[in-house]
Amino acid sequence: MQPSIKKIGTILIVIVLLPLVIFTFYELSKLSDNEKVIEDIYSEQLNTIIFSVNQYTDDIVQGWTRKISELISVKNPDTIKNNLVNFCELNSAISLIIIADTLFSDNIKFYSSKHSSASPQAIARIQKILINNIGLIDDLIKYKKQGYNKVQSLVNEIDETPLLSFNE
């Protein structure tokens, strides 16, 4: 009788455990599918947030470029200086506005809320940055000729100050 009880016990254990093992594997695979769906949703939400932040940033920068263009359209140099200094004071994210008429000109003007001056060293640094970014600036000129106002980030190898450039 002993062997038949072992057989019956083994069969009962297999009958009980087999569905339990199958159900466990099914739930684990379902969990992986749910995690994949959650990961996809999270990724899409993250992309949406990044797009919104980029769009907001672009709107702010485009607003700055329009305002700067308006402020420098005045013919009086003293008025331009006062307008741009006030603009820097009102927008703490902008530490300095630099206006250069050409890439190789020494006619570079600096406007800042800190009233920094255009020293020969500062002019040389800006000229070096402009020359190093000549391809990007040429692209900006092409865009402007086609009627499109684009803001371009310049490569600044001198320090880590972020620089934005646009054509007026």
Side-chain angles (χ1 to χ4, degrees), residues 16-27:
V16 170
L17 287 181
L18 186 61
L20 187 60
V21 169
I22 292 172
F23 182 72
T24 302
F25 281 120
Y26 172 73
E27 285 298 317

Side-chain angles (χ1 to χ4, degrees), residues 95-96 98 110 121-126 128-130 132-133 153-164:
S95 58
L96 180 65
I98 302 167
F110 293 76
Q121 295 87 1
I123 291 172
R125 289 177 68 198
I126 293 303
K128 182 178 179 184
I129 291 171
L130 293 175
N132 288 343
N133 289 278
S153 176
L154 298 180
V155 176
N156 181 1
E157 296 173 354
I158 295 173
D159 57 27
E160 294 190 15
T161 306
L163 301 172
L164 300 177

Side-chain angles (χ1 to χ4, degrees), residues 48-60:
T48 301
I49 290 168
I50 290 171
F51 176 79
S52 296
V53 169
N54 285 340
Q55 194 65 38
Y56 176 74
T57 304
D58 187 54
D59 291 345
I60 295 291

